[in-house]
Amino acid sequence: MLCGGSRASVHLWDHPHPPTLGLGGNVFWRSSFVLRPSSPRLQQQMKSSSRSHCKTPVPQDCFRQGEDDPELPIEGLSPVAGGIVALGKFDALHIGHRELAIQAARVGNPYLLSFVGMAQVLGWKPRAPIVAKCDRKRVLSSWSSHCGNIAPVEFEIEFASVRHLNPQQFVEKLSRELRVCGVVAGENYQFGYKASGDATELVRLCEEYGISANIINSVMDKNQLCGIAKTEEYSKLKEKGQVSSTRVRHALAAGDVRYVKELLGRPHRLISTAKTRDITNKGTISLQTSSLLNLPPGNGVYEDCSLIVIGDEKKHPISCKVIVDTLNLHIETKQVVEVRNSNGSQELLLLGIEFG
């Protein structure tokens, strides 16, 4: 398997090479850093937590939300209060991101802190995510076995609300408004307006504000070429280096799904909307690429794939071959694909196609 630590680095703020943010399905909480206690009880909790803020090392149950408290999390109290947040760009949810979550879980309740609306604010051209929004919860849940049987939760913040914060202001937000107990970041992590803060400054500021900071090494790939590189740029990417979302995107574009699997730590799952009328017993399902919810591999023929009807995962995946071209995606299988059809041929459903 792949070795090393993790690097969730990349510039979270203004940067000439725009990263794509993964949006988190139903596993995230969104905040614009406007936190208002909505009841006297919650106000008292916030005051209590401000008098006894987290210390380092952080205990495992630091500010844990108990099972006997059905009101939490609700508006007015930060859902990540007392947790350990991983900082980075979580488009691909690759093994480097997973390592961040693992390190966070060793200290407390693990969260991924993501930023949304960056493309709109900075005027970047939209592009398909690597992980479909509706599929992120499944991926994070699959990490629980690595994280002490706790599935990390994704917490989203509007980028517009933090874009102009300098490094100190950003850490102050983490401490005083989100009330996190600690952060985990990669060794090359940069943050603050125009990426003016680095990992060393993050550690210093976290110490100043009384929260823990864990900086970890980069996860490196296997430095092993899988087949013939299709471009010079791709060949360079496949030399030994850091696992990154950029590597995943290039590997997908090259159709190297085995390499993608190594980088993700799981098969790439493509999600598509479909109608029940698209599912026939003829052994072929044809879908338009416009129905895809995330990034497909490059044009080509892919053997040894699996087809899953989302929401009906109790059934075994169906072996299939997938043909991808610019406008269409064709799924060929020798098995009958059965779907529940309650209201006729117009019923919408989700299909998952796993590669490799």
Side-chain angles (χ1 to χ4, degrees), residues 30-320:
R30 182 171 294 180
S31 170
S32 59
F33 277 127
V34 179
L35 303 175
R36 301 185 180 91
S38 57
S39 69
R41 178 170 176 265
L42 289 177
Q43 292 175 11
Q44 183 61 37
Q45 287 179 318
M46 293 291 281
K47 291 178 181 178
S48 174
S49 65
S50 65
R51 290 193 296 268
S52 57
H53 199 34
C54 304
K55 298 181 182 299
T56 305
V58 182
Q60 179 69 25
D61 60 347
C62 175
F63 213 90
R64 187 185 298 274
Q65 295 167 1
E67 295 180 357
D68 59 345
D69 193 343
E71 293 188 33
L72 301 180
I74 60 177
E75 183 181 0
L77 182 64
S78 166
V80 298
I84 309 298
V85 296
L87 302 173
K89 178 181 70 73
F90 300 106
D91 182 17
L93 295 178
H94 54 59
I95 57 172
H97 298 148
R98 186 181 68 189
E99 185 65 24
L100 285 174
I102 290 171
Q103 297 300 327
R106 290 177 177 174
V107 185
N109 285 337
Y111 294 88
L112 305 185
L113 188 63
S114 298
F115 299 87
V116 296
M118 184 178 288
Q120 295 90 325
V121 171
L122 300 180
W124 295 338
K125 182 179 179 180
R127 59 180 180 180
I130 295 173
V131 182
K133 181 176 180 179
C134 62
D135 196 37
R136 293 177 72 85
K137 181 178 180 179
R138 178 191 67 86
V139 175
L140 294 180
S141 295
S142 73
W143 292 359
S144 63
S145 61
H146 302 275
C147 299
N149 295 321
I150 300 175
V153 175
E154 189 164 27
F155 179 72
E156 290 188 343
I157 292 174
E158 295 289 346
F159 175 70
S161 72
V162 296
R163 177 186 181 185
H164 296 294
L165 298 183
N166 63 37
Q168 179 172 350
Q169 291 170 329
F170 178 68
V171 174
E172 182 177 10
K173 290 286 189 181
L174 293 176
S175 174
R176 296 185 177 177
E177 295 191 25
L178 290 187
R179 305 207 60 78
V180 304
C181 280
V183 300
V184 177
E187 60 185 337
N188 296 315
Y189 178 72
Q190 294 180 280
F191 68 107
Y193 184 61
K194 293 187 177 180
S196 56
D198 59 14
T200 300
E201 185 168 12
L202 179 65
V203 172
R204 180 186 66 80
L205 288 170
C206 285
E207 182 178 358
E208 178 180 335
Y209 283 91
I211 59 179
S212 68
N214 185 10
I215 305 301
I216 58 181
N217 295 329
S218 301
V219 164
M220 309 300 286
D221 70 19
K222 295 176 63 176
N223 190 23
Q224 177 180 344
L225 294 178
C226 302
I228 300 175
K230 299 189 177 182
T231 66
E232 181 179 354
E233 181 181 15
Y234 181 59
S235 178
K236 291 179 180 179
L237 278 170
K238 297 193 72 175
E239 296 173 358
K240 185 176 180 180
Q242 155 205 349
V243 173
S244 68
S245 297
T246 298
R247 282 178 180 260
V248 176
R249 284 186 176 274
H250 279 275
L252 277 171
D256 196 341
V257 293
R258 287 183 297 173
Y259 186 44
V260 172
K261 184 177 180 179
E262 292 175 1
L263 296 173
L264 297 181
R266 66 183 185 277
H268 177 59
R269 179 178 286 193
L270 182 64
I271 305 292
S272 176
T273 59
K275 294 181 179 179
T276 51
R277 69 183 181 189
D278 298 325
I279 312 301
T280 69
N281 295 329
K282 297 179 181 180
T284 300
I285 301 172
S286 294
L287 304 169
Q288 294 183 342
T289 53
S290 59
S291 67
L292 303 179
L293 303 184
N294 59 317
L295 188 64
N299 293 352
V301 179
Y302 299 90
E303 307 282 352
D304 301 322
C305 298
S306 299
L307 177 66
I308 303 102
V309 179
I310 305 298
D312 201 9
E313 286 86 348
K314 291 183 179 180
K315 295 182 179 178
H316 293 293
I318 297 173
S319 298
C320 62

